[in-house]
Amino acid sequence: MSEALHRRTALGLGAAATILYLVTAPAIPNLDWLGYLKLLPHNFAAGHLLYMPALRALTRLVGDGLRAGRLYDALLGGTGVVLTYSIARRLLAAWDDEAAWLGAAFAAGGLLLSYGYWSEANDVEAYAAAMVALLATVRMALSFAPHPSVGRAAATGALLGVAVLAHLSHVLLSLFVVHYLWRHARGRRWLPPLVALAVGGALSLGLYA
């Protein structure tokens, strides 16, 4: 399988997901949206600091908070499907290429159609952004294993910080990051996890403080 085919499959599934989430948006917004609407002037929502600034910026651009929020979450939903394809492909690298392609497509398609993910991506919710931030952190961490470097550890830490800002519960993701970077580091194995925690902690704690 060529890289172009993998890329087309991932982007095709992501685009299909975004369109699906946009056209299946519920007629009546969920109650969370009413809370976000109330918080828009304050630009703050405890537990997921990044969501309100992004929603507020998109609302100014689009002109309507509900449409902006649904567009934002649908795009995030599609992005999460693309990231899931990439993660699954990396995890299935030991399989032959066709099997890895099918497995990655099945994993991404399963996420695309899962009720929990679908219901968060087709309405105004903070959890689509939180999911994408988590997936991006995992994908970056997986790229560390074949090419360990302090730079990749720092990038993983930066995404970890973004994930914590997307949702405070993602602080638990630091356990995975520390273990994975330590396990795949070369030489001073303590250094990559320390760099990741330092970068992620500075980013997230600085804004939460």
Side-chain angles (χ1 to χ4, degrees), residues 141 144 153 156 176-185 189 192-193 196:
F144 176 85
T156 303
F176 162 76
V177 168
V178 167
H179 174 73
Y180 193 86
L181 297 189
W182 176 83
R183 182 181 177 188
H184 294 281
R189 303 180 74 177

Side-chain angles (χ1 to χ4, degrees):
M1 297 288 176
S2 67
E3 284 296 321
L5 177 60
H6 284 294
R7 188 162 49 249
R8 286 196 301 270
T9 302
L11 293 177
L13 287 168
T18 296
I19 293 169
L20 177 66
Y21 302 147
L22 284 172
V23 301
T24 60
I28 300 174
N30 62 56
L31 293 178
D32 280 353
W33 157 241
L34 298 177
Y36 297 139
L37 179 64
K38 182 176 67 175
L39 292 172
L40 268 178
H42 307 288
N43 205 30
F44 174 82
H48 34 85
L49 293 187
L50 288 185
Y51 189 73
M52 291 309 300
L55 182 59
R56 188 176 187 179
L58 277 171
T59 299
R60 288 177 176 175
L61 182 65
V62 175
D64 179 283
L66 179 59
R67 284 188 298 165
R70 285 180 168 173
L71 175 62
Y72 181 46
D73 278 20
L75 289 170
L76 286 168
T79 302
V81 169
V82 173
L83 286 169
T84 298
Y85 181 94
S86 181
I87 291 169
R89 185 188 170 202
R90 177 61 64 97
L91 293 175
L92 300 176
W95 295 13
D96 70 79
D97 208 27
E98 184 174 359
W101 172 66
L102 289 172
F106 183 80
L111 180 68
L112 188 164
L113 296 174
S114 66
Y115 173 77
Y117 190 76
W118 189 337
S119 63
E120 299 301 328
N122 76 341
D123 210 342
V124 185
E125 288 280 7
Y127 305 108
M131 183 66 168
V132 168
L134 183 151
L135 290 170
T137 305
V138 171
R139 180 63 185 85
M140 190 66 223
L142 292 178
S143 74
F144 176 85
H147 306 288
S149 70
V150 172
R152 289 179 185 271
T156 303
L159 287 171
L160 174 62
V162 171
V164 173
L165 291 171
H167 207 286
L168 185 57
S169 63
H170 285 345
V171 69
L172 297 174
L173 187 59
S174 60
L175 299 176
F176 162 76
V177 168
V178 167
H179 174 73
Y180 193 86
L181 297 189
W182 176 83
R183 182 181 177 188
H184 294 281
R186 298 171 187 167
R188 293 177 293 179
R189 303 180 74 177
W190 54 268
L191 183 58
L194 181 62
V195 169
L197 288 182
V199 172
L203 181 60
S204 57
L205 292 177
L207 289 179
Y208 270 113

